Amino acid sequence: MTVIILLCTHDQKVDAVSLRIVPNKSQFFEYESVSFYCEGISHGHVLYKMKEEVEQCNKTSKKTAATTTGSQCTIRPIYARDSGEYWCGTAGGQRSNIISITVTAGSMILEIPAVPVMEGEAVTLRCRNKMLSSNFTADFYKYGRHIGSSSIGNLTIHRVSKSDEGLYKCKISGGGESPESWLSVSLPCLTGNHTETETDPSSEPGCHIYLILRTVFTIMMVVLLLLLVGLLHCGKIRVAPTNSPTCKCNFHDTGNNTDNDAKKHERK
């Protein structure tokens, strides 16, 4: 049973479709470039946005095989209308993780990872201004609440946790503010290899293996426990006849006969 489950899990891992983005950030200035990589075993992946196939990449950069098991779509330049959620799909109905990006025509962005950050890792949020290359103080906000300032425009969370998830933005005094973007944190999987393509930790192939093996191990332990209880129960049944009233009765009868014989011998 374990072998069959592992084989099925391996098939799921092989057939998995994933999407990653380069550069790995969720906010862009207009006229920048962004590349999406659809990865999986089957060819012919299509990049979608709002349930519609993305055509821009065919106009600026042909959709070519980035690897033997995927395809690449580069949008250059990118415009505000390109903001939205992207994912890959196949003819077989498979869908990848979702990546959301925001493209602004303004002068401020917050460079925040577009894919989940593994819990325990370090993550740096960078406030960028088109007009200022360096030497500016940025204020960072989570859900609109001020969480810190930096004279170099960067905010680093050294050991990120699930409590750090949320909507972030940054401001520069006299320089405006960035749009808000969501920072997502994924839980580590004991047996899986963390990649940038997963948005849900439970969807990672390694996590699937870990959860399945843990379930199988629990079932086996329960079965072994039931077998042990059954063996002990059978053992009690086998011992029971030696303690039956019949055996006790025979034992006492034998004892009484011996006493009677002794009394008769004394009288003689």
Side-chain angles (χ1 to χ4, degrees):
M1 181 178 64
T2 303
V3 172
I4 293 174
I5 291 175
L6 289 177
L7 287 175
C8 293
T9 305
H10 176 72
D11 290 340
Q12 290 179 357
K13 180 177 181 180
V14 170
D15 292 338
V17 180
S18 60
L19 176 65
R20 62 185 179 93
I21 184 173
V22 178
N24 178 19
K25 61 180 184 177
S26 59
Q27 293 186 18
F28 294 82
F29 289 122
E30 278 195 322
Y31 309 113
E32 287 189 313
S33 173
V34 59
S35 294
F36 295 94
Y37 292 86
C38 300
E39 298 176 337
I41 189 171
S42 58
H43 296 274
H45 293 152
V46 176
L47 182 66
Y48 290 93
K49 176 191 170 230
M50 301 296 291
K51 299 182 180 181
E52 295 182 359
E53 184 176 347
V54 176
E55 299 290 346
Q56 297 98 307
C57 55
N58 294 329
K59 297 177 182 178
T60 59
S61 177
K62 292 184 178 180
K63 190 182 300 184
T64 58
T67 65
T68 57
T69 60
S71 58
Q72 173 188 353
C73 174
T74 298
I75 304 176
R76 183 190 301 115
I78 195 168
Y79 299 101
R81 63 173 179 268
D82 296 314
S83 300
E85 295 181 340
Y86 291 80
W87 69 90
C88 289
T90 66
Q94 292 178 312
R95 287 184 56 171
S96 71
N97 52 295
I98 297 173
I99 291 180
S100 179
I101 66 170
T102 300
V103 184
T104 178
S107 60
M108 290 280 298
I109 64 170
L110 175 62
E111 292 189 344
I112 192 169
V115 298
V117 181
M118 184 72 74
E119 189 174 47
E121 292 183 349
V123 60
T124 298
L125 311 182
R126 295 180 174 86
C127 198
R128 287 184 55 197
N129 185 288
K130 272 185 179 181
M131 309 302 174
L132 304 174
S133 58
S134 61
N135 299 326
F136 60 86
T137 299
D139 294 305
F140 294 86
Y141 298 82
K142 179 182 178 184
Y143 293 123
R145 182 175 61 87
H146 186 264
I147 58 172
S149 300
S150 171
S151 59
I152 59 174
N154 296 343
L155 176 68
T156 299
I157 305 173
H158 295 285
R159 291 185 60 84
V160 71
S161 65
K162 289 293 287 184
S163 63
D164 293 313
E165 281 191 335
L167 283 172
Y168 289 81
K169 68 178 180 180
C170 67
K171 290 183 180 180
I172 295 178
S173 179
E177 66 179 54
S178 72
E180 285 186 316
S181 281
W182 181 268
L183 174 66
S184 181
V185 179
S186 63
L187 295 175
C189 184
L190 296 181
T191 59
N193 294 325
H194 172 60
T195 64
E196 293 185 338
T197 58
E198 284 79 23
T199 58
D200 182 5
S202 64
S203 66
E204 297 180 13
C207 286
H208 282 306
I209 295 176
Y210 168 68
L211 294 175
I212 291 174
L213 289 180
R214 186 177 65 178
T215 303
V216 172
F217 177 77
T218 303
I219 293 174
M220 291 177 65
M221 289 297 101
V222 172
V223 171
L224 288 175
L225 181 61
L226 292 175
L227 286 175
L228 180 60
V229 173
L231 290 173
L232 291 174
H233 184 65
C234 291
K236 288 182 179 181
I237 293 175
R238 291 175 182 174
V239 175
T242 61
N243 298 325
S244 64
T246 304
C247 294
K248 289 182 179 180
C249 180
N250 293 337
F251 176 78
H252 289 304
D253 288 345
T254 303
N256 291 336
N257 292 336
T258 304
D259 292 340
N260 292 334
D261 291 341
K263 291 178 180 179
K264 290 179 182 179
H265 181 71
E266 289 177 357
R267 290 174 184 174
K268 291 180 181 179

